[in-house]
């Protein structure tokens, strides 16, 4: 769908195309009828001239009847001669050989005379192949020029130069095809209007094209009024053309007042047209010396194409002015054909310099084009010659039924030679010719194919980019190559060849992801030319910073490096050393390399990310290992020595570090009392580092407060709760069990802050130390109460976290507190598990491991064992 800003231009193009194609259609019908029915169509014996009813362009039949130029025709077949349409009407109703009676007067005071013209056919004889070729050349040439003009505007609808080219190329259809011979009540007026508009537009458009292509000329800047001094009179005189042509066609009388001025006006138009064409060359010439690079190549091609193409036609125009005849009348057919074939250079050069993104040097076009054409056509001639030889040989073979053995072998060899050349040797020769005249393209294909294989093997960005830029530069002969890579929302200059990389170049040469350049490449997904002379180019919408960056890098072509989800980068290619444009083959191969490079970049980036992640993981692992070691140091390294008491504790974290906590320590004592034993066990919500940090905070808080608030355990835990609450987030808390044991009276005082009840095993009796308050760290003002239990010799206290009781096997079945207690009671009957508290702890863990059978556990497993020996009664 066309862009919104170009819809008006496309509408105007459709209108112009309709008028032009209707004119071309009418002319094509006329040419077809002449070639097919030319012997039965009557031609006009004469035409009307600038004096209206006077005769001009007399044919042989009119001269044979006694008519002379500038005779005034009065009647035709008894009817007044009032218009050219009246003459054409009489001709259409007649057949070749029919008489046409004419009354005329030779001079203003002469007597009226009468004569009879024997009408002749448009083509008295059947057309020869040469004559058919001539008619086809004229018809196809005009249609070809017209299509080129329409195509140029369609390709560049917002380009003023494209519209000027359309105005120039429509001229050939108007000048070659006589609109008065087009048949049809609707086609004829359209053809006349189009003929006048096209002939008027040509010199004006050509003049303006010379002034404004590719940039406004300095001559026009100094003398801007010159073009208007020529263009305005030409446009005003075109109105007189409407008067003259429509009056000549339908009513001589209506324009009789204008008859004396028709010839001077025609001369004035021709003179002004010649001045306009001369002004085109006058403006174009100095631009070649001032322009550089691509603009200079375009101007050279334009100057040569227009000079060579228009000069023969210009000479014919001068000849028609001198002889007062139509263009081409009175000159040999071969001359006219040559003139109009050479004229093809003019529309082709116009279209080339506007539509092609980057012009090729003129010498290269001529040298390669000519040699390549001759080489390829030679193969065609050989193929046709072999085909004719085989056809005649087969014809001769089947004419004579009696064949010798040698005849059969000979015909088989001829057939074999033809097919071998056609399908084997011809293709190889074609490839050799292509390599000879387009060696660079084939070398590029081979080298870039190798590069695409290499690109996949790189795992580092810098070597990848260096290799690609080096190979591209040597293969395509490009001195300046820059590579932009995505970094966040900006594409920074990563590498540049052919220009120094200053420290701040990456920031200066950068393209935001929302820039016109990046969005254009993302949308197109193909190489984009940086064509600065084209007002319809995408570059017009770019910011000054973008254009400046691309100009400083001498960018001629941008190649996107596609990623999986978005553009990975951009390669900016400067001009080739040969100054040749980037061909379609170059663009296709570059796009292939870009796809491979984009994939390689993402692989390199992924590899780099993985390397970074592995390094980071190793660093984190080392840090976690250090954290684990630190956390292990937080657990009791030596157990307090209290007569009759045996202690053991162990924490098995589910991860490297855990959130479970257990502790034994002696409380400060005075001289009158023995030291009391503090027991602590906690389970921090969550896992990992955050839980470990909270565990360390809980340990530090407990140890700092426990020495100050002995005996009042409820107040102690309340203070611990406040500290944990203030130092942790709202979703962090801990279940906590804290007890103090008095070795003198064997009293265990405790606070259970929402923890699993520890159990005291006393013979067959099981005593649960139920919670006496909520968890710590969840509420700022939680209240706690303390409880006490008198311990007896032989009692075993098991305090644990839910990682022990909720240990799961592969079937996701929990061990459970009942099974744990049952296993503990069984273990108490085993001497190998009851000698020390540590043995009992080890046996309980072994029992848990037998149940889980190696299944992964998702929670920390912590167990604290406190036993009262029989010696405690004596302490």
């Amino acid at each position: 769908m066309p862009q919104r800003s170009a819809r008006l231009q496309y509408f105007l193009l459709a209108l112009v195309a309709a008028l032009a194609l209707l004119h071309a259609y009418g002319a094509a019908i006329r040419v077809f009828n002449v070639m097919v029915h030319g012997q039965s169509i009557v031609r006009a014996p004469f035409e009307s001239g600038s004096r209206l009813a006077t005769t001009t362009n007399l044919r042989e039949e009119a001269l044979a009847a006694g008519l002379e130029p500038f005779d005034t025709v009065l009647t035709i077949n008894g009817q007044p001669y009032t218009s050219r349409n009246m003459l054409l009407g009489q001709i259409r109703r007649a057949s070749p050989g029919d008489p046409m009676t004419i009354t005329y007067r030779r001079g203003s005071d002469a007597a009226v005379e009468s004569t009879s013209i024997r009408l002749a056919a448009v083509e008295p004889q059947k057309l020869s192949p040469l004559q058919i070729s001539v008619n086809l050349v004229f018809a196809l040439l005009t249609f070809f020029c017209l299509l080129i003009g329409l195509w140029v505007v369609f390709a560049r609808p917002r380009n003023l130069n494209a519209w000027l080219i359309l105005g120039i190329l429509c001229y050939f259809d108007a000048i070659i095809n006589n609109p008065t011979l087009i048949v049809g009540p609707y086609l004829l007026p359209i053809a006349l209007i189009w003929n006048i508009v096209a002939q008027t537009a040509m010199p004006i458009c050509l003049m303006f094209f010379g002034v404004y292509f590719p940039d406004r000329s300095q001559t026009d800047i100094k003398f801007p009024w010159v073009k208007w001094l020529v263009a305005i009179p030409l446009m005003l005189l075109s109105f007189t053309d409407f008067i003259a042509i429509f009056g000549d066609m339908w009513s001589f009388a209506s324009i009789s007042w204008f008859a004396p001025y028709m010839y001077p006006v025609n001369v004035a138009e021709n003179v002004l047209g010649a001045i306009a064409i001369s002004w085109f060359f006058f403006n174009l010439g100095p631009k070649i010396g001032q322009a550089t690079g691509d603009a200079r190549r375009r101007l050279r091609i334009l100057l040569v194409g227009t000079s060579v193409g228009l000069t023969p036609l210009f000479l014919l125009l001068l000849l028609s002015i001198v002889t007062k005849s139509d263009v081409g009348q009175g000159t040999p057919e071969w001359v006219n054909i040559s003139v109009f074939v050479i004229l093809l250079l003019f529309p082709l050069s116009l279209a080339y310099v506007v539509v092609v993104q980057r012009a090729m040097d003129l010498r290269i076009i001529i040298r390669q084009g000519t040699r390549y054409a001759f080489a390829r056509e030679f193969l065609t001639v050989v193929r046709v010659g072999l085909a004719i030889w085989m056809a005649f040989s087969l014809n001769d073979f089947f004419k004579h039924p009696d064949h010798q053995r040698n005849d059969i072998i000979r015909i088989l060899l001829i057939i074999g030679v033809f097919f071998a050349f056609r399908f084997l040797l011809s293709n190889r020769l074609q490839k050799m010719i292509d390599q000879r005249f387009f060696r660079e393209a084939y070398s590029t294909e081979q080298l870039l194919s190798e590069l695409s294989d290499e690109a996949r093997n790189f795992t580092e960005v810098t070597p990848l980019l260096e290799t690609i830029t080096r190979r591209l530069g040597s293969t395509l002969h490009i001195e300046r190559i820059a590579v932009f890579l995505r970094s966040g929302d900006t594409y920074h200059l990563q590498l540049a060849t052919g220009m120094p990389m200053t420290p701040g170049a990456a920031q200066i040469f950068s393209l935001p992801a929302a820039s016109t350049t990046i969005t254009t490449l993302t949308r197109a997904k193909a190489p984009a030319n940086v064509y600065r002379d084209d007002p319809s180019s995408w570059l017009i919408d770019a910011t000054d910073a973008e254009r400046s960056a691309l100009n400083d890098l001498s960018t001629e072509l941008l190649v996107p490096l596609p990623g999986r989800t978005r553009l990975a980068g951009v390669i900016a290619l400067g001009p080739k050393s040969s100054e040749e444009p980037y061909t379609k083959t170059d663009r296709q191969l570059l796009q292939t390399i870009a796809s491979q490079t984009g994939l390689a970049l993402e692989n390199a980036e992924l590899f780099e990310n993985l390397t970074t992640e592995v390094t980071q993981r190793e660093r984190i692992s080392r840090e976690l290992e250090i954290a684990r070691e630190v956390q292990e140091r937080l657990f009791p390294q030596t157990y307090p020595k209290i007569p009759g008491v045996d202690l053991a504790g162990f924490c098995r974290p589910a991860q490297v570090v855990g959130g479970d906590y257990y502790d034994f320590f002696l409380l400060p004592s005075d001289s009158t009392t023995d030291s009391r034993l503090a027991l602590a066990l906690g389970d921090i919500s969550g896992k990992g580092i955050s839980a470990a940090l909270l565990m360390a905070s809980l340990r530090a808080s407990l140890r700092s407060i426990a020495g100050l608030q002995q005996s009042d355990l409820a107040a102690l835990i309340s203070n611990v709760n406040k500290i944990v609450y203030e130092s942790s987030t709202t979703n962090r808390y801990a279940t906590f069990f804290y007890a103090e044991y008095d070795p003198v009276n064997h009293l265990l005082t405790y606070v259970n802050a929402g923890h699993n009840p520890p159990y005291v095993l006393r013979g067959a009796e099981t005593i649960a130390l139920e919670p006496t308050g909520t968890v710590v760290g969840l509420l700022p003002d939680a209240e706690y109460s303390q409880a006490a239990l008198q311990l007896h010799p032989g009692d075993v206290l098991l305090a644990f976290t839910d990682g022990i009781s909720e240990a799961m096997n592969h079937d996701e079945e929990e061990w459970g507190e009942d099974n744990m207690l049952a296993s503990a009671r069984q273990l108490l009957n085993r001497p190998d598990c009851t000698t020390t508290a540590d043995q009992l702890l080890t046996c309980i863990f072994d029992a848990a491991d037998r149940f889980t059978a190696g299944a992964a556990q998702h929670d920390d497993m912590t167990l604290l064992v406190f036993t009262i020996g029989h010696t405690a009664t004596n302490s």
Side-chain angles (χ1 to χ4, degrees), residues 612-657:
T612 304
E613 186 176 350
V614 168
T615 304
Q616 186 175 4
R617 284 178 179 271
E618 290 178 352
R619 180 179 58 81
I620 292 174
S621 297
R622 288 195 300 271
E623 292 177 354
L624 287 175
E625 183 64 23
I626 294 173
R628 183 187 64 80
E629 293 176 359
V630 171
Q631 187 177 44
E632 286 184 352
R633 299 295 300 176
L634 294 178
F635 294 130
Q637 301 301 305
T638 59
Y639 297 159
K641 301 298 182 180
I642 297 179
V645 174
D646 196 7
L647 297 170
F650 179 70
C651 174
R652 181 192 291 172
Q655 299 179 4
V656 179
V657 292

Side-chain angles (χ1 to χ4, degrees), residues 22 29 172 215 280 310 326 374 380 467 502 543 557 615 860 869:
L22 283 173
I29 295 295
F172 302 104
D215 299 305
F280 161 79
L310 289 180
D326 288 341
F374 274 112
T380 303
T467 301
T502 58
T543 62
L557 185 70
T615 304
D860 302 334

Side-chain angles (χ1 to χ4, degrees), residues 150-330:
L150 295 173
W151 172 65
V152 170
V153 176
F154 185 81
R156 301 282 188 271
R158 292 182 292 178
N159 191 330
L160 174 63
N161 293 321
W163 285 95
L164 294 176
I165 286 179
L166 177 60
I168 295 167
L169 297 184
C170 288
Y171 173 74
F172 302 104
D173 176 49
I175 195 174
I176 292 176
N177 295 317
N178 188 348
T180 61
L181 300 179
I182 294 176
V183 180
Y186 302 108
L187 280 180
L188 181 57
I190 293 175
L192 291 174
I193 293 172
W194 175 251
N195 188 271
I196 296 170
V197 171
Q199 291 201 47
T200 303
M202 185 272 187
I204 297 175
C205 291
L206 185 62
M207 177 178 62
F208 275 83
F209 188 78
V211 168
Y212 290 106
F213 180 82
D215 299 305
R216 187 179 179 185
S217 68
Q218 293 297 320
T219 304
D220 184 70
I221 293 175
K222 294 179 181 179
F223 309 104
W225 48 269
V226 174
K227 61 181 180 292
W228 300 113
L229 193 63
V230 177
I232 292 175
L234 274 174
M235 288 187 287
L236 292 177
L237 289 175
S238 66
F239 292 102
T240 64
D241 293 335
F242 283 100
I243 295 172
I245 291 180
F246 277 85
D248 175 69
M249 181 57 66
W250 281 287
S251 176
F252 292 149
S254 65
I255 58 169
S256 58
W257 59 273
F258 186 63
Y261 309 106
M262 291 177 63
Y263 181 74
V265 167
N266 188 41
V267 172
E269 287 182 317
N270 289 333
V271 171
L272 288 172
I275 294 174
I277 295 173
S278 301
W279 193 246
F280 161 79
F281 288 102
F282 192 80
N283 282 272
L284 192 65
K287 289 183 180 181
I288 297 178
Q290 300 167 0
T292 58
D294 185 58
R296 189 172 187 176
R297 290 193 297 274
R298 291 175 182 278
L299 291 173
R300 282 179 175 174
I301 294 170
L302 181 61
L303 182 61
V304 173
T306 52
S307 300
V308 176
L310 289 180
T311 298
L313 181 63
F314 187 67
L315 294 176
L316 282 184
L317 286 172
L318 290 179
L319 182 63
S320 67
I321 294 174
V322 173
T323 59
K324 299 180 180 180
S325 61
D326 288 341
V327 177
Q329 184 177 352

Side-chain angles (χ1 to χ4, degrees), residues 328-460:
Q329 184 177 352
T331 54
E333 290 290 345
W334 68 268
V335 174
N336 292 335
I337 293 176
S338 301
V339 167
F340 288 105
V341 169
I342 294 173
L343 186 63
L344 284 174
L345 292 174
F346 178 60
L348 288 174
S349 62
L350 287 176
Y352 181 85
V353 298
V354 170
V355 175
V356 175
Q357 294 290 354
R358 192 165 180 264
M360 189 183 294
D361 188 81
L362 185 61
R363 293 169 297 176
I364 295 175
I365 292 178
I366 296 173
R367 182 176 68 251
Q368 289 190 350
T370 304
R371 292 179 180 177
Y372 188 62
F374 274 112
R376 294 199 64 169
E377 292 306 320
F378 173 75
L379 289 181
T380 303
V381 170
V382 173
R383 283 195 293 264
V384 172
L386 288 176
I388 294 174
W389 180 39
M390 184 180 68
F392 276 104
S393 299
L394 288 172
N395 182 59
D396 183 66
F397 181 79
F398 288 113
K399 275 186 178 180
H400 304 86
D402 298 329
H403 301 299
Q404 299 292 330
R405 180 180 178 183
N406 292 337
D407 295 332
I408 298 175
I409 295 175
R410 175 177 171 272
I411 196 66
L412 291 176
L413 285 175
I414 292 174
I415 295 173
V417 168
F418 171 77
F419 282 100
F421 183 84
R422 175 65 182 84
F423 296 104
L424 297 177
L425 186 59
S426 177
N427 293 335
R428 293 185 179 181
L429 290 174
Q430 182 69 63
K431 185 175 181 179
M432 291 173 60
I433 291 172
D434 291 337
Q435 290 176 336
R436 170 63 181 83
F437 295 107
F438 294 92
R439 185 180 305 156
E440 183 180 14
Y442 275 74
S443 299
T444 300
E445 183 175 3
Q446 179 181 358
L447 292 174
L448 293 184
S449 296
E450 295 172 358
L451 184 57
S452 73
D453 294 333
E454 293 179 11
R456 292 193 294 266
N457 299 324
F458 284 99
T459 56
E460 296 183 16

Side-chain angles (χ1 to χ4, degrees), residues 12-25 150 187 190 194:
L12 294 176
L13 176 63
L15 181 62
V16 172
L19 292 174
L21 293 176
L22 283 173
H23 183 276
Y25 169 75
L150 295 173
L187 280 180
I190 293 175
W194 175 251

Side-chain angles (χ1 to χ4, degrees), residues 807-841:
M808 302 180 72
N809 60 15
H810 291 286
D811 296 330
E812 296 187 354
E813 297 174 342
E814 289 187 2
W815 192 25
E817 291 185 3
D818 293 340
N819 290 330
M820 180 194 71
L821 294 173
S823 297
R825 288 190 176 280
Q826 292 178 0
L827 294 172
L828 289 175
N829 296 323
R830 290 173 49 182
D832 59 329
C833 293
T834 56
T835 303
T836 63
D838 188 65
Q839 287 180 333
L840 179 59
L841 181 143

